[in-house]
Amino acid sequence: MADAQTASITGTPVPNVPPAVSAQGAAATPSQPEVACETLYIQNLNEKVRIDVLKASLRGLFKSYGEVLDVVAHSNLRMRGQAFVSFASPEIAAKALKEVRGFPLYSKPMQISFARTRSDAVVRKVDPQSLEVHKGRREEHKKLTRYTNPLKQKLRAKRLAAAGLAGISAIPAPKRPAVQMPDEYLPPNKILFLQNLPESVTKDQLMALFSQYPNLHEVRLIPTKKDIAFVEYLDEASAGVAKDALHNYKLDGENKIKITFARK
């Protein structure tokens, strides 16, 4: 998948379409309006969430807009906090971008723009005969930018400085396994994360339930995943009171609501 620095999926470009994301990864200026393609580039994702959980959440969030061909995210340093979501058409991607941009997934508002080029999954669907050529172009691009990419140069310089070896590549440190703190032990937060909600639950029902406790600020439902929601209070103490009082509450008389502090 693409280098985060170029904010693209290097390969077969969208025909006759100027880049929606600049080479520095910034959104296009007003003089260069975004042009829809099948793939969305997402930034500002919560880096503490496991990759498999993040990909499943993104797929669940976007699938109501149409067929999701692929979700790509990695845990390496240059791709951390970013992902690519590919759809079957630019129209589906445009609608998803418009309605989901800024949505606080795991307490962080998503920054969404169109990718500059098509993903493997899109090429495989719309032009399968060109897939191998597309992959070849991507690999060639990787080779050309291996030593010129500013982010890679910065990381390489840090490794050299840490190793104290001028001009000699340092041996990469072994990758530590990702360890995620269980939800039940998360530190206090003014935002609560609700799970196991009845699919028929409404915002008004949750407002009525949580407004019993002072300083309620907002209730946010996820249209595409109706069994979870976020409830925000003005301060952590008020959120803690509501959490302790309503955790395992049976909203529909059957299923217990799981309430934890949202991840920061």
Side-chain angles (χ1 to χ4, degrees), residues 130-178:
S130 301
L131 181 59
E132 293 306 315
V133 175
H134 164 80
K135 290 181 177 180
R137 287 175 178 170
R138 186 179 67 245
E139 291 304 315
E140 185 64 25
H141 177 80
K142 284 184 179 180
K143 292 178 182 178
L144 292 174
T145 60
R146 181 170 296 168
Y147 300 109
T148 59
N149 183 288
L151 182 58
K152 289 182 179 179
Q153 288 179 335
K154 186 176 181 180
L155 293 174
R156 185 170 180 269
K158 284 185 176 180
R159 290 196 187 107
L160 289 173
L165 300 175
I168 302 177
S169 297
I171 300 174
K175 187 176 180 181
R176 293 181 298 176

mmCIF file of all heavy atoms in Angstrom, residues 130-178:
data_model
loop_
_atom_site.group_PDB
_atom_site.id
_atom_site.type_symbol
_atom_site.label_atom_id
_atom_site.label_comp_id
_atom_site.label_asym_id
_atom_site.label_seq_id
_atom_site.Cartn_x
_atom_site.Cartn_y
_atom_site.Cartn_z
ATOM 1 N N SER A 130 -5.005 -5.501 -15.925
ATOM 2 C CA SER A 130 -3.904 -4.570 -15.647
ATOM 3 C C SER A 130 -3.314 -4.747 -14.245
ATOM 4 O O SER A 130 -2.446 -3.973 -13.845
ATOM 5 C CB SER A 130 -4.398 -3.126 -15.800
ATOM 6 O OG SER A 130 -4.883 -2.892 -17.089
ATOM 7 N N LEU A 131 -3.789 -5.748 -13.503
ATOM 8 C CA LEU A 131 -3.374 -5.876 -12.109
ATOM 9 C C LEU A 131 -1.865 -6.075 -11.969
ATOM 10 O O LEU A 131 -1.222 -5.432 -11.133
ATOM 11 C CB LEU A 131 -4.124 -7.036 -11.445
ATOM 12 C CG LEU A 131 -3.803 -7.265 -9.959
ATOM 13 C CD1 LEU A 131 -4.132 -6.011 -9.142
ATOM 14 C CD2 LEU A 131 -4.587 -8.458 -9.421
ATOM 15 N N GLU A 132 -1.288 -6.956 -12.766
ATOM 16 C CA GLU A 132 0.146 -7.222 -12.641
ATOM 17 C C GLU A 132 0.975 -5.988 -13.016
ATOM 18 O O GLU A 132 1.998 -5.702 -12.391
ATOM 19 C CB GLU A 132 0.540 -8.420 -13.502
ATOM 20 C CG GLU A 132 -0.054 -9.743 -13.031
ATOM 21 C CD GLU A 132 0.254 -10.018 -11.558
ATOM 22 O OE1 GLU A 132 1.425 -9.823 -11.157
ATOM 23 O OE2 GLU A 132 -0.661 -10.427 -10.835
ATOM 24 N N VAL A 133 0.535 -5.270 -14.042
ATOM 25 C CA VAL A 133 1.218 -4.021 -14.415
ATOM 26 C C VAL A 133 1.123 -3.014 -13.273
ATOM 27 O O VAL A 133 2.098 -2.327 -12.940
ATOM 28 C CB VAL A 133 0.603 -3.434 -15.703
ATOM 29 C CG1 VAL A 133 1.221 -2.069 -16.019
ATOM 30 C CG2 VAL A 133 0.794 -4.394 -16.868
ATOM 31 N N HIS A 134 -0.058 -2.926 -12.689
ATOM 32 C CA HIS A 134 -0.293 -2.025 -11.554
ATOM 33 C C HIS A 134 0.647 -2.351 -10.391
ATOM 34 O O HIS A 134 1.285 -1.465 -9.814
ATOM 35 C CB HIS A 134 -1.755 -2.161 -11.126
ATOM 36 C CG HIS A 134 -2.076 -1.601 -9.778
ATOM 37 N ND1 HIS A 134 -2.278 -0.258 -9.547
ATOM 38 C CD2 HIS A 134 -2.226 -2.209 -8.575
ATOM 39 C CE1 HIS A 134 -2.530 -0.065 -8.274
ATOM 40 N NE2 HIS A 134 -2.505 -1.231 -7.661
ATOM 41 N N LYS A 135 0.764 -3.641 -10.068
ATOM 42 C CA LYS A 135 1.652 -4.055 -8.973
ATOM 43 C C LYS A 135 3.105 -3.740 -9.303
ATOM 44 O O LYS A 135 3.879 -3.324 -8.439
ATOM 45 C CB LYS A 135 1.477 -5.544 -8.684
ATOM 46 C CG LYS A 135 0.147 -5.908 -8.043
ATOM 47 C CD LYS A 135 0.087 -7.407 -7.774
ATOM 48 C CE LYS A 135 -1.205 -7.790 -7.067
ATOM 49 N NZ LYS A 135 -1.272 -9.252 -6.806
ATOM 50 N N GLY A 136 3.470 -3.957 -10.569
ATOM 51 C CA GLY A 136 4.834 -3.671 -10.977
ATOM 52 C C GLY A 136 5.187 -2.206 -10.829
ATOM 53 O O GLY A 136 6.288 -1.846 -10.381
ATOM 54 N N ARG A 137 4.246 -1.327 -11.185
ATOM 55 C CA ARG A 137 4.474 0.113 -11.033
ATOM 56 C C ARG A 137 4.659 0.482 -9.565
ATOM 57 O O ARG A 137 5.484 1.331 -9.215
ATOM 58 C CB ARG A 137 3.307 0.891 -11.622
ATOM 59 C CG ARG A 137 3.255 0.885 -13.136
ATOM 60 C CD ARG A 137 1.998 1.571 -13.621
ATOM 61 N NE ARG A 137 1.945 1.613 -15.084
ATOM 62 C CZ ARG A 137 0.868 1.976 -15.768
ATOM 63 N NH1 ARG A 137 -0.232 2.320 -15.122
ATOM 64 N NH2 ARG A 137 0.887 1.997 -17.087
ATOM 65 N N ARG A 138 3.864 -0.160 -8.717
ATOM 66 C CA ARG A 138 3.970 0.160 -7.293
ATOM 67 C C ARG A 138 5.339 -0.260 -6.751
ATOM 68 O O ARG A 138 5.967 0.485 -5.986
ATOM 69 C CB ARG A 138 2.862 -0.533 -6.508
ATOM 70 C CG ARG A 138 2.835 -0.121 -5.028
ATOM 71 C CD ARG A 138 1.733 -0.791 -4.246
ATOM 72 N NE ARG A 138 1.959 -2.224 -4.126
ATOM 73 C CZ ARG A 138 1.179 -3.143 -4.669
ATOM 74 N NH1 ARG A 138 0.136 -2.792 -5.383
ATOM 75 N NH2 ARG A 138 1.434 -4.427 -4.508
ATOM 76 N N GLU A 139 5.781 -1.437 -7.125
ATOM 77 C CA GLU A 139 7.089 -1.905 -6.652
ATOM 78 C C GLU A 139 8.214 -1.014 -7.174
ATOM 79 O O GLU A 139 9.178 -0.728 -6.459
ATOM 80 C CB GLU A 139 7.309 -3.353 -7.088
ATOM 81 C CG GLU A 139 6.415 -4.355 -6.384
ATOM 82 C CD GLU A 139 6.549 -4.289 -4.871
ATOM 83 O OE1 GLU A 139 7.706 -4.220 -4.385
ATOM 84 O OE2 GLU A 139 5.519 -4.306 -4.194
ATOM 85 N N GLU A 140 8.089 -0.569 -8.413
ATOM 86 C CA GLU A 140 9.093 0.326 -8.975
ATOM 87 C C GLU A 140 9.126 1.649 -8.230
ATOM 88 O O GLU A 140 10.187 2.212 -7.957
ATOM 89 C CB GLU A 140 8.779 0.565 -10.462
ATOM 90 C CG GLU A 140 9.826 1.387 -11.192
ATOM 91 C CD GLU A 140 11.186 0.689 -11.248
ATOM 92 O OE1 GLU A 140 11.210 -0.568 -11.169
ATOM 93 O OE2 GLU A 140 12.203 1.389 -11.377
ATOM 94 N N HIS A 141 7.931 2.126 -7.877
ATOM 95 C CA HIS A 141 7.848 3.378 -7.114
ATOM 96 C C HIS A 141 8.521 3.223 -5.746
ATOM 97 O O HIS A 141 9.216 4.125 -5.277
ATOM 98 C CB HIS A 141 6.383 3.769 -6.935
ATOM 99 C CG HIS A 141 6.180 5.003 -6.102
ATOM 100 N ND1 HIS A 141 6.340 6.274 -6.607
ATOM 101 C CD2 HIS A 141 5.855 5.160 -4.798
ATOM 102 C CE1 HIS A 141 6.115 7.152 -5.657
ATOM 103 N NE2 HIS A 141 5.804 6.505 -4.554
ATOM 104 N N LYS A 142 8.313 2.073 -5.121
ATOM 105 C CA LYS A 142 8.948 1.827 -3.819
ATOM 106 C C LYS A 142 10.466 1.874 -3.930
ATOM 107 O O LYS A 142 11.150 2.432 -3.076
ATOM 108 C CB LYS A 142 8.505 0.469 -3.261
ATOM 109 C CG LYS A 142 7.101 0.444 -2.690
ATOM 110 C CD LYS A 142 6.815 -0.917 -2.089
ATOM 111 C CE LYS A 142 5.430 -0.965 -1.476
ATOM 112 N NZ LYS A 142 5.148 -2.292 -0.878
ATOM 113 N N LYS A 143 10.996 1.258 -5.000
ATOM 114 C CA LYS A 143 12.440 1.252 -5.180
ATOM 115 C C LYS A 143 12.980 2.659 -5.394
ATOM 116 O O LYS A 143 14.017 3.034 -4.853
ATOM 117 C CB LYS A 143 12.803 0.371 -6.381
ATOM 118 C CG LYS A 143 12.548 -1.110 -6.174
ATOM 119 C CD LYS A 143 12.878 -1.894 -7.425
ATOM 120 C CE LYS A 143 12.575 -3.379 -7.249
ATOM 121 N NZ LYS A 143 12.858 -4.144 -8.490
ATOM 122 N N LEU A 144 12.251 3.458 -6.183
ATOM 123 C CA LEU A 144 12.716 4.807 -6.496
ATOM 124 C C LEU A 144 12.691 5.722 -5.277
ATOM 125 O O LEU A 144 13.493 6.648 -5.165
ATOM 126 C CB LEU A 144 11.846 5.412 -7.611
ATOM 127 C CG LEU A 144 11.980 4.773 -8.993
ATOM 128 C CD1 LEU A 144 10.954 5.358 -9.960
ATOM 129 C CD2 LEU A 144 13.391 4.968 -9.532
ATOM 130 N N THR A 145 11.748 5.473 -4.375
ATOM 131 C CA THR A 145 11.591 6.365 -3.219
ATOM 132 C C THR A 145 12.198 5.791 -1.948
ATOM 133 O O THR A 145 12.049 6.378 -0.870
ATOM 134 C CB THR A 145 10.096 6.656 -2.972
ATOM 135 O OG1 THR A 145 9.404 5.425 -2.722
ATOM 136 C CG2 THR A 145 9.466 7.352 -4.166
ATOM 137 N N ARG A 146 12.879 4.661 -2.051
ATOM 138 C CA ARG A 146 13.403 3.993 -0.854
ATOM 139 C C ARG A 146 14.346 4.896 -0.068
ATOM 140 O O ARG A 146 14.338 4.928 1.154
ATOM 141 C CB ARG A 146 14.116 2.703 -1.256
ATOM 142 C CG ARG A 146 14.673 1.921 -0.079
ATOM 143 C CD ARG A 146 15.128 0.555 -0.522
ATOM 144 N NE ARG A 146 14.003 -0.238 -1.004
ATOM 145 C CZ ARG A 146 14.134 -1.383 -1.671
ATOM 146 N NH1 ARG A 146 15.330 -1.843 -1.970
ATOM 147 N NH2 ARG A 146 13.072 -2.057 -2.059
ATOM 148 N N TYR A 147 15.176 5.659 -0.783
ATOM 149 C CA TYR A 147 16.161 6.489 -0.104
ATOM 150 C C TYR A 147 15.876 7.983 -0.228
ATOM 151 O O TYR A 147 16.598 8.806 0.315
ATOM 152 C CB TYR A 147 17.561 6.199 -0.657
ATOM 153 C CG TYR A 147 17.966 4.755 -0.457
ATOM 154 C CD1 TYR A 147 18.048 3.890 -1.535
ATOM 155 C CD2 TYR A 147 18.234 4.256 0.820
ATOM 156 C CE1 TYR A 147 18.398 2.556 -1.347
ATOM 157 C CE2 TYR A 147 18.578 2.936 1.010
ATOM 158 C CZ TYR A 147 18.659 2.094 -0.074
ATOM 159 O OH TYR A 147 18.998 0.772 0.115
ATOM 160 N N THR A 148 14.815 8.336 -0.964
ATOM 161 C CA THR A 148 14.484 9.750 -1.122
ATOM 162 C C THR A 148 13.279 10.165 -0.311
ATOM 163 O O THR A 148 13.017 11.351 -0.159
ATOM 164 C CB THR A 148 14.211 10.075 -2.605
ATOM 165 O OG1 THR A 148 13.119 9.262 -3.075
ATOM 166 C CG2 THR A 148 15.446 9.808 -3.453
ATOM 167 N N ASN A 149 12.546 9.212 0.206
ATOM 168 C CA ASN A 149 11.375 9.549 1.019
ATOM 169 C C ASN A 149 11.822 10.253 2.297
ATOM 170 O O ASN A 149 12.609 9.717 3.066
ATOM 171 C CB ASN A 149 10.617 8.262 1.360
ATOM 172 C CG ASN A 149 9.349 8.542 2.149
ATOM 173 O OD1 ASN A 149 9.428 8.895 3.308
ATOM 174 N ND2 ASN A 149 8.214 8.377 1.507
ATOM 175 N N PRO A 150 11.327 11.485 2.551
ATOM 176 C CA PRO A 150 11.782 12.250 3.727
ATOM 177 C C PRO A 150 11.554 11.537 5.051
ATOM 178 O O PRO A 150 12.401 11.586 5.945
ATOM 179 C CB PRO A 150 10.958 13.540 3.640
ATOM 180 C CG PRO A 150 10.573 13.654 2.204
ATOM 181 C CD PRO A 150 10.392 12.254 1.719
ATOM 182 N N LEU A 151 10.423 10.859 5.192
ATOM 183 C CA LEU A 151 10.141 10.179 6.448
ATOM 184 C C LEU A 151 11.100 9.016 6.672
ATOM 185 O O LEU A 151 11.616 8.813 7.774
ATOM 186 C CB LEU A 151 8.695 9.678 6.453
ATOM 187 C CG LEU A 151 8.222 8.986 7.738
ATOM 188 C CD1 LEU A 151 8.385 9.923 8.928
ATOM 189 C CD2 LEU A 151 6.779 8.545 7.602
ATOM 190 N N LYS A 152 11.386 8.250 5.598
ATOM 191 C CA LYS A 152 12.328 7.142 5.727
ATOM 192 C C LYS A 152 13.733 7.655 6.038
ATOM 193 O O LYS A 152 14.477 7.042 6.805
ATOM 194 C CB LYS A 152 12.342 6.325 4.438
ATOM 195 C CG LYS A 152 11.068 5.511 4.220
ATOM 196 C CD LYS A 152 11.170 4.687 2.963
ATOM 197 C CE LYS A 152 9.901 3.847 2.766
ATOM 198 N NZ LYS A 152 9.968 3.045 1.536
ATOM 199 N N GLN A 153 14.105 8.796 5.438
ATOM 200 C CA GLN A 153 15.413 9.372 5.719
ATOM 201 C C GLN A 153 15.517 9.771 7.189
ATOM 202 O O GLN A 153 16.546 9.565 7.836
ATOM 203 C CB GLN A 153 15.648 10.598 4.831
ATOM 204 C CG GLN A 153 15.891 10.250 3.366
ATOM 205 C CD GLN A 153 16.097 11.487 2.522
ATOM 206 O OE1 GLN A 153 15.633 12.565 2.859
ATOM 207 N NE2 GLN A 153 16.799 11.335 1.405
ATOM 208 N N LYS A 154 14.451 10.338 7.713
ATOM 209 C CA LYS A 154 14.443 10.754 9.110
ATOM 210 C C LYS A 154 14.570 9.555 10.045
ATOM 211 O O LYS A 154 15.328 9.574 11.027
ATOM 212 C CB LYS A 154 13.153 11.522 9.401
ATOM 213 C CG LYS A 154 13.087 12.135 10.784
ATOM 214 C CD LYS A 154 11.809 12.950 10.937
ATOM 215 C CE LYS A 154 11.737 13.584 12.315
ATOM 216 N NZ LYS A 154 10.490 14.381 12.486
ATOM 217 N N LEU A 155 13.837 8.481 9.747
ATOM 218 C CA LEU A 155 13.896 7.276 10.579
ATOM 219 C C LEU A 155 15.289 6.650 10.517
ATOM 220 O O LEU A 155 15.825 6.189 11.521
ATOM 221 C CB LEU A 155 12.846 6.267 10.111
ATOM 222 C CG LEU A 155 11.383 6.661 10.321
ATOM 223 C CD1 LEU A 155 10.465 5.628 9.686
ATOM 224 C CD2 LEU A 155 11.076 6.807 11.794
ATOM 225 N N ARG A 156 15.864 6.633 9.307
ATOM 226 C CA ARG A 156 17.200 6.060 9.148
ATOM 227 C C ARG A 156 18.230 6.867 9.940
ATOM 228 O O ARG A 156 19.121 6.312 10.592
ATOM 229 C CB ARG A 156 17.573 6.022 7.675
ATOM 230 C CG ARG A 156 18.901 5.341 7.381
ATOM 231 C CD ARG A 156 19.045 5.130 5.873
ATOM 232 N NE ARG A 156 20.315 4.468 5.578
ATOM 233 C CZ ARG A 156 21.455 5.118 5.319
ATOM 234 N NH1 ARG A 156 21.468 6.449 5.337
ATOM 235 N NH2 ARG A 156 22.557 4.451 5.050
ATOM 236 N N ALA A 157 18.104 8.189 9.910
ATOM 237 C CA ALA A 157 19.023 9.045 10.657
ATOM 238 C C ALA A 157 18.917 8.792 12.155
ATOM 239 O O ALA A 157 19.913 8.777 12.888
ATOM 240 C CB ALA A 157 18.736 10.513 10.349
ATOM 241 N N LYS A 158 17.697 8.576 12.631
ATOM 242 C CA LYS A 158 17.500 8.302 14.057
ATOM 243 C C LYS A 158 18.158 6.985 14.450
ATOM 244 O O LYS A 158 18.770 6.872 15.513
ATOM 245 C CB LYS A 158 16.005 8.264 14.381
ATOM 246 C CG LYS A 158 15.347 9.633 14.455
ATOM 247 C CD LYS A 158 13.898 9.503 14.901
ATOM 248 C CE LYS A 158 13.254 10.874 15.069
ATOM 249 N NZ LYS A 158 11.836 10.765 15.496
ATOM 250 N N ARG A 159 18.021 5.979 13.581
ATOM 251 C CA ARG A 159 18.637 4.686 13.879
ATOM 252 C C ARG A 159 20.152 4.805 13.933
ATOM 253 O O ARG A 159 20.819 4.229 14.808
ATOM 254 C CB ARG A 159 18.236 3.650 12.811
ATOM 255 C CG ARG A 159 16.767 3.231 12.870
ATOM 256 C CD ARG A 159 16.564 1.957 12.066
ATOM 257 N NE ARG A 159 15.149 1.621 11.951
ATOM 258 C CZ ARG A 159 14.442 1.753 10.837
ATOM 259 N NH1 ARG A 159 15.032 2.213 9.759
ATOM 260 N NH2 ARG A 159 13.173 1.427 10.810
ATOM 261 N N LEU A 160 20.694 5.560 12.984
ATOM 262 C CA LEU A 160 22.142 5.746 12.962
ATOM 263 C C LEU A 160 22.627 6.472 14.209
ATOM 264 O O LEU A 160 23.642 6.114 14.805
ATOM 265 C CB LEU A 160 22.544 6.539 11.711
ATOM 266 C CG LEU A 160 22.419 5.796 10.368
ATOM 267 C CD1 LEU A 160 22.682 6.750 9.217
ATOM 268 C CD2 LEU A 160 23.378 4.625 10.320
ATOM 269 N N ALA A 161 21.890 7.511 14.614
ATOM 270 C CA ALA A 161 22.284 8.262 15.803
ATOM 271 C C ALA A 161 22.214 7.394 17.044
ATOM 272 O O ALA A 161 23.084 7.448 17.923
ATOM 273 C CB ALA A 161 21.379 9.483 15.956
ATOM 274 N N ALA A 162 21.163 6.571 17.127
ATOM 275 C CA ALA A 162 21.008 5.708 18.298
ATOM 276 C C ALA A 162 22.109 4.667 18.372
ATOM 277 O O ALA A 162 22.579 4.297 19.451
ATOM 278 C CB ALA A 162 19.639 5.030 18.266
ATOM 279 N N ALA A 163 22.519 4.185 17.216
ATOM 280 C CA ALA A 163 23.556 3.158 17.199
ATOM 281 C C ALA A 163 24.954 3.754 17.310
ATOM 282 O O ALA A 163 25.924 3.047 17.586
ATOM 283 C CB ALA A 163 23.444 2.335 15.920
ATOM 284 N N GLY A 164 25.069 5.060 17.067
ATOM 285 C CA GLY A 164 26.365 5.714 17.137
ATOM 286 C C GLY A 164 27.281 5.332 15.999
ATOM 287 O O GLY A 164 28.511 5.380 16.117
ATOM 288 N N LEU A 165 26.685 4.939 14.868
ATOM 289 C CA LEU A 165 27.480 4.506 13.719
ATOM 290 C C LEU A 165 27.242 5.463 12.560
ATOM 291 O O LEU A 165 26.160 5.476 11.977
ATOM 292 C CB LEU A 165 27.087 3.092 13.299
ATOM 293 C CG LEU A 165 27.273 2.012 14.378
ATOM 294 C CD1 LEU A 165 26.724 0.696 13.868
ATOM 295 C CD2 LEU A 165 28.734 1.870 14.747
ATOM 296 N N ALA A 166 28.210 6.258 12.218
ATOM 297 C CA ALA A 166 28.069 7.206 11.117
ATOM 298 C C ALA A 166 28.222 6.470 9.795
ATOM 299 O O ALA A 166 29.230 5.834 9.531
ATOM 300 C CB ALA A 166 29.131 8.304 11.229
ATOM 301 N N GLY A 167 27.194 6.586 8.964
ATOM 302 C CA GLY A 167 27.266 6.005 7.622
ATOM 303 C C GLY A 167 26.997 4.520 7.565
ATOM 304 O O GLY A 167 27.096 3.921 6.500
ATOM 305 N N ILE A 168 26.702 3.875 8.700
ATOM 306 C CA ILE A 168 26.423 2.443 8.706
ATOM 307 C C ILE A 168 25.012 2.224 9.224
ATOM 308 O O ILE A 168 24.644 2.743 10.276
ATOM 309 C CB ILE A 168 27.425 1.674 9.597
ATOM 310 C CG1 ILE A 168 28.856 1.929 9.116
ATOM 311 C CG2 ILE A 168 27.101 0.192 9.600
ATOM 312 C CD1 ILE A 168 29.895 1.275 9.981
ATOM 313 N N SER A 169 24.236 1.482 8.496
ATOM 314 C CA SER A 169 22.847 1.259 8.900
ATOM 315 C C SER A 169 22.796 0.502 10.216
ATOM 316 O O SER A 169 23.473 -0.505 10.405
ATOM 317 C CB SER A 169 22.102 0.458 7.819
ATOM 318 O OG SER A 169 22.066 1.198 6.624
ATOM 319 N N ALA A 170 21.985 0.994 11.119
ATOM 320 C CA ALA A 170 21.816 0.316 12.405
ATOM 321 C C ALA A 170 20.887 -0.883 12.249
ATOM 322 O O ALA A 170 20.023 -0.911 11.388
ATOM 323 C CB ALA A 170 21.240 1.285 13.424
ATOM 324 N N ILE A 171 21.081 -1.858 13.109
ATOM 325 C CA ILE A 171 20.211 -3.031 13.094
ATOM 326 C C ILE A 171 18.880 -2.645 13.729
ATOM 327 O O ILE A 171 18.834 -2.122 14.837
ATOM 328 C CB ILE A 171 20.844 -4.189 13.893
ATOM 329 C CG1 ILE A 171 22.185 -4.576 13.267
ATOM 330 C CG2 ILE A 171 19.891 -5.380 13.961
ATOM 331 C CD1 ILE A 171 22.944 -5.601 14.070
ATOM 332 N N PRO A 172 17.752 -2.853 13.016
ATOM 333 C CA PRO A 172 16.452 -2.472 13.573
ATOM 334 C C PRO A 172 16.186 -3.194 14.887
ATOM 335 O O PRO A 172 16.518 -4.370 15.056
ATOM 336 C CB PRO A 172 15.464 -2.919 12.482
ATOM 337 C CG PRO A 172 16.286 -3.073 11.243
ATOM 338 C CD PRO A 172 17.649 -3.471 11.698
ATOM 339 N N ALA A 173 15.603 -2.474 15.813
ATOM 340 C CA ALA A 173 15.250 -3.084 17.098
ATOM 341 C C ALA A 173 14.136 -4.093 16.888
ATOM 342 O O ALA A 173 13.276 -3.908 16.027
ATOM 343 C CB ALA A 173 14.799 -1.999 18.074
ATOM 344 N N PRO A 174 14.148 -5.188 17.640
ATOM 345 C CA PRO A 174 13.080 -6.180 17.487
ATOM 346 C C PRO A 174 11.729 -5.568 17.819
ATOM 347 O O PRO A 174 11.602 -4.767 18.751
ATOM 348 C CB PRO A 174 13.462 -7.270 18.510
ATOM 349 C CG PRO A 174 14.387 -6.594 19.474
ATOM 350 C CD PRO A 174 15.126 -5.555 18.695
ATOM 351 N N LYS A 175 10.753 -5.931 17.050
ATOM 352 C CA LYS A 175 9.418 -5.386 17.233
ATOM 353 C C LYS A 175 8.761 -5.984 18.479
ATOM 354 O O LYS A 175 8.704 -7.196 18.646
ATOM 355 C CB LYS A 175 8.567 -5.690 15.998
ATOM 356 C CG LYS A 175 7.219 -5.025 16.018
ATOM 357 C CD LYS A 175 6.491 -5.304 14.716
ATOM 358 C CE LYS A 175 5.117 -4.642 14.731
ATOM 359 N NZ LYS A 175 4.385 -4.916 13.472
ATOM 360 N N ARG A 176 8.288 -5.090 19.336
ATOM 361 C CA ARG A 176 7.610 -5.567 20.542
ATOM 362 C C ARG A 176 6.164 -5.899 20.236
ATOM 363 O O ARG A 176 5.508 -5.194 19.482
ATOM 364 C CB ARG A 176 7.665 -4.494 21.636
ATOM 365 C CG ARG A 176 9.061 -4.232 22.158
ATOM 366 C CD ARG A 176 9.038 -3.180 23.239
ATOM 367 N NE ARG A 176 8.546 -1.905 22.725
ATOM 368 C CZ ARG A 176 8.349 -0.828 23.481
ATOM 369 N NH1 ARG A 176 8.582 -0.888 24.774
ATOM 370 N NH2 ARG A 176 7.904 0.294 22.948
ATOM 371 N N PRO A 177 5.659 -6.965 20.823
ATOM 372 C CA PRO A 177 4.256 -7.296 20.568
ATOM 373 C C PRO A 177 3.333 -6.218 21.121
ATOM 374 O O PRO A 177 3.582 -5.649 22.177
ATOM 375 C CB PRO A 177 4.069 -8.631 21.329
ATOM 376 C CG PRO A 177 5.149 -8.635 22.366
ATOM 377 C CD PRO A 177 6.311 -7.918 21.749
ATOM 378 N N ALA A 178 2.292 -5.919 20.352
ATOM 379 C CA ALA A 178 1.339 -4.894 20.787
ATOM 380 C C ALA A 178 0.512 -5.430 21.950
ATOM 381 O O ALA A 178 -0.074 -6.508 21.871
ATOM 382 C CB ALA A 178 0.431 -4.507 19.624
#
